[in-house]
């Protein structure tokens, strides 16, 4: 627990799962599963991605975002959400919570009501070269030589770590061998997404007055996300036991932050459990074995001051890696997560159909000027 009994993001060292014996592997897997069950958010060290590779990735990210607008627009993200690839200038993408997907107001306005507050960030999306449904949109090699080669290698390295983390999660859930095999088959690595993110400096008052946002409250619709961040801060998790209370994900050098996404909430189904905060066995709460993590990027704690005394946010860089099933995969809850007293909460769904529903309003408008 943090100060004033505020929860903190747990930290799990995954290295014993890579190098330890069977007992240490199971202990590490159990720690990881507990963190995912309690908060859906966990900081992971010993994840297998070297600090040198991470530094190189952030260096490439800064080089990309330091290019002129005209150069970056040589690899433009399309005006729709598919393919979700290429460069998005500030204001093009709108991130929103899934509760708005079927909102009457949002549907009536065709998503325009979501854009009253613009997202002030820029991003570059990269996927596997073996995914014909989501072809990459690369910058010309003459503009940023070596970028494509590095990012494909980085994508592959992150997939290796994600596969090991998935295996650790399965072991922490004590899945049957057949279920773990099915879980790994569901995630072959061809439909993951590597995202380079840059939050340019912006006057703090624009964020405080909700004229623009960095990244609003949302969940990810992947199975889970691995995120690397610089030391700026601003990433926050909503405490699932205290809605409206946000816990800062304080940056830890070379650690990643993993959050559970919508797909793993469906895979792990729901369970009925006593709510510890309520007290003795008097009331019940419906909880998911792994609950999708509600999070946001808010005003960071570290700011710069302009000459007129006004605060301006620092630039923030982060690199999320979304680990997801293939588009044509049907996602259903694991058999061991269903019992007579715990029936299936979710209907089976094809991942591409779920993604289309979640992202239908994400790309509509041109960039915002601040």
């Amino acid at each position: 627990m943090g100060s004033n009994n505020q929860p903190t993001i747990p930290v799990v060292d995954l290295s014993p799962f890579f190098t330890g014996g069977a007992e240490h592997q199971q202990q590490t897997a159990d720690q990881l599963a507990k963190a995912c069950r309690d908060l859906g958010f966990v900081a992971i060290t010993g994840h297998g991605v070297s600090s040198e590779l991470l530094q190189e990735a952030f260096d490439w990210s800064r080089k990309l975002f330091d290019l002129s607008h005209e150069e970056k627009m040589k690899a433009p993200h399309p005006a729709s959400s598919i393919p979700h690839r290429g460069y998005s200038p500030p204001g093009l993408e709108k991130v929103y919570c899934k509760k708005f997907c079927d909102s009457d107001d949002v549907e009536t306005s065709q998503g325009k009501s979501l854009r009253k507050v613009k997202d002030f960030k820029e991003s570059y999306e990269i996927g596997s070269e073996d995914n014909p449904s989501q072809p990459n949109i690369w910058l010309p090699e003459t503009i940023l030589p070596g970028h494509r080669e590095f990012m494909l290698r980085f994508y592959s390295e992150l997939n290796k770590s994600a596969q090991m983390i998935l295996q650790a999660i399965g072991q922490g859930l004590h899945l049957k061998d057949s279920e773990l095999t099915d879980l790994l088959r569901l995630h072959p690595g061809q439909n993951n997404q590597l995202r380079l993110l840059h939050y340019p400096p912006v006057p703090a008052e624009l964020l405080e007055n909700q004229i623009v946002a960095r990244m609003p409250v949302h969940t990810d619709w992947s199975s889970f996300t691995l995120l690397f961040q610089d030391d700026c801060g601003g990433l926050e998790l909503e405490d699932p036991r205290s809605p409206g209370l946000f816990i800062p994900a304080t940056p830890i050098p070379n650690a990643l932050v993993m959050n559970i996404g919508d797909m793993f909430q469906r895979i792990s189904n729901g369970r009925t459990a006593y709510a510890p905060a309520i007290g003795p066995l008097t009331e019940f709460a419906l909880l998911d074995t792994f609950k999708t993590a509600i999070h946001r990027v808010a005003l960071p704690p570290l700011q710069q001051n302009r000459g007129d005394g006004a605060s301006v946010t620092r630039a923030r860089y982060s690199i999320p890696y979304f680990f997801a099933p293939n588009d044509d995969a049907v996602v259903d809850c694991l058999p061991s997560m269903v019992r007579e007293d715990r029936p299936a909460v979710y209907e089976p769904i094809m991942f591409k159909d779920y993604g289309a529903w979640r992202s239908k309003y994400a790309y509509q408008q041109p960039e915002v000027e601040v």
Side-chain angles (χ1 to χ4, degrees), residues 149-189:
E149 183 277 330
F150 174 82
M151 287 301 161
L152 289 175
R153 178 163 54 91
F154 188 50
Y155 177 103
S156 177
E157 290 300 313
L158 293 184
N159 183 55
K160 291 176 187 176
S161 290
Q163 296 286 346
M164 288 297 294
I165 289 171
L166 180 64
Q167 191 163 330
I169 288 174
Q171 193 165 325
L173 285 172
H174 297 270
L175 299 180
K176 300 175 183 176
D177 289 344
S178 60
E179 287 183 314
L180 182 55
T181 298
D182 289 343
L183 190 59
L184 292 168
R185 281 188 188 139
L186 190 65
H187 299 84

Side-chain angles (χ1 to χ4, degrees), residues 38-153:
D38 290 348
L39 287 178
F41 228 74
V42 55
I44 298 177
T45 61
H47 42 67
V49 183
S50 71
S51 58
E52 293 80 11
L53 188 65
L54 289 176
Q55 183 61 56
E56 192 173 357
F58 277 101
D59 288 345
W60 277 111
S61 181
R62 290 184 177 90
K63 288 177 186 177
L64 184 146
F65 292 119
D66 282 346
L67 295 173
S68 69
H69 176 74
E70 291 73 22
E71 288 173 315
K72 287 180 285 192
M73 289 302 292
K74 297 291 186 182
H77 191 292
S80 62
S81 58
I82 297 176
H84 192 23
R85 299 290 184 261
Y87 172 71
S88 297
L92 179 64
E93 183 196 34
K94 180 60 187 177
V95 173
Y96 51 89
C97 199
K98 63 183 176 181
K99 70 179 181 181
F100 293 121
C101 290
D102 293 325
S103 160
D104 290 341
D105 178 53
V106 174
E107 286 196 358
T108 299
S109 70
Q110 287 298 296
K112 290 183 173 58
S113 61
L114 295 170
R115 295 176 175 272
K116 293 175 181 177
V117 178
K118 304 292 195 301
D119 293 358
F120 193 64
K121 65 184 187 308
E122 55 181 341
S123 64
Y124 189 88
E125 322 295 336
I126 301 163
S128 168
E129 294 281 65
D130 299 321
N131 185 355
S133 65
Q134 297 267 10
N136 280 315
I137 301 173
W138 295 106
L139 288 167
E141 187 69 12
T142 54
I143 289 180
L144 199 58
H147 178 258
R148 176 175 180 168
E149 183 277 330
F150 174 82
M151 287 301 161
L152 289 175
R153 178 163 54 91

Side-chain angles (χ1 to χ4, degrees), residues 129-366:
E129 294 281 65
D130 299 321
N131 185 355
S133 65
Q134 297 267 10
N136 280 315
I137 301 173
W138 295 106
L139 288 167
E141 187 69 12
T142 54
I143 289 180
L144 199 58
H147 178 258
R148 176 175 180 168
E149 183 277 330
F150 174 82
M151 287 301 161
L152 289 175
R153 178 163 54 91
F154 188 50
Y155 177 103
S156 177
E157 290 300 313
L158 293 184
N159 183 55
K160 291 176 187 176
S161 290
Q163 296 286 346
M164 288 297 294
I165 289 171
L166 180 64
Q167 191 163 330
I169 288 174
Q171 193 165 325
L173 285 172
H174 297 270
L175 299 180
K176 300 175 183 176
D177 289 344
S178 60
E179 287 183 314
L180 182 55
T181 298
D182 289 343
L183 190 59
L184 292 168
R185 281 188 188 139
L186 190 65
H187 299 84
Q190 294 173 347
N191 201 35
N192 302 339
Q193 177 193 337
L194 171 60
R195 163 173 266 205
L196 308 179
L197 264 172
H198 173 225
Y199 300 81
V202 61
E205 62 180 353
L206 296 184
L207 294 171
E208 293 166 341
N209 295 327
Q210 297 186 356
I211 296 172
V212 298
R214 285 205 146 185
M215 190 171 289
V217 170
H218 67 287
T219 61
D220 298 338
W221 65 84
S222 54
S223 291
F224 58 74
T225 304
L226 310 181
L227 178 131
F228 301 92
Q229 56 179 332
D230 65 10
D231 64 352
C232 178
L235 177 63
E236 297 177 338
L237 160 74
E238 185 176 53
D239 186 346
R241 293 179 174 82
S242 301
L245 174 65
F246 283 85
I247 307 166
T250 304
I252 300 173
N254 299 319
L256 66 81
V257 177
M258 186 185 85
N259 64 268
I260 296 299
D262 294 354
M263 286 300 102
F264 221 104
Q265 175 165 300
R266 301 178 77 97
I267 289 168
S268 63
N269 197 30
R271 67 185 176 90
T272 301
Y274 295 108
I278 294 174
L281 312 182
T282 55
E283 297 190 40
F284 298 88
L286 183 65
L287 304 175
D288 287 284
T289 302
F290 282 5
K291 185 174 179 61
T292 187
I294 300 173
H295 55 289
R296 68 184 183 186
V297 178
L299 188 67
L302 299 176
Q303 301 171 29
Q304 301 168 336
N305 289 320
R306 298 189 309 201
D308 58 4
S311 295
V312 178
T313 65
R314 283 179 53 195
R316 180 179 187 265
Y317 294 86
S318 67
I319 303 176
Y321 186 74
F322 302 95
F323 189 64
N326 276 0
D327 270 346
D328 58 358
V330 176
V331 179
D332 198 0
C333 58
L334 294 166
S336 64
M337 300 294 165
V338 179
R339 297 197 307 259
E340 184 177 348
D341 62 343
R342 192 174 70 192
V345 177
Y346 311 101
E347 295 289 334
I349 192 167
M350 191 173 289
F351 180 67
K352 68 179 179 181
D353 294 337
Y354 187 84
W357 173 71
R358 281 297 314 269
S359 64
K360 60 184 175 180
Y361 302 124
Y363 285 87
Q364 291 184 339
Q365 298 293 321

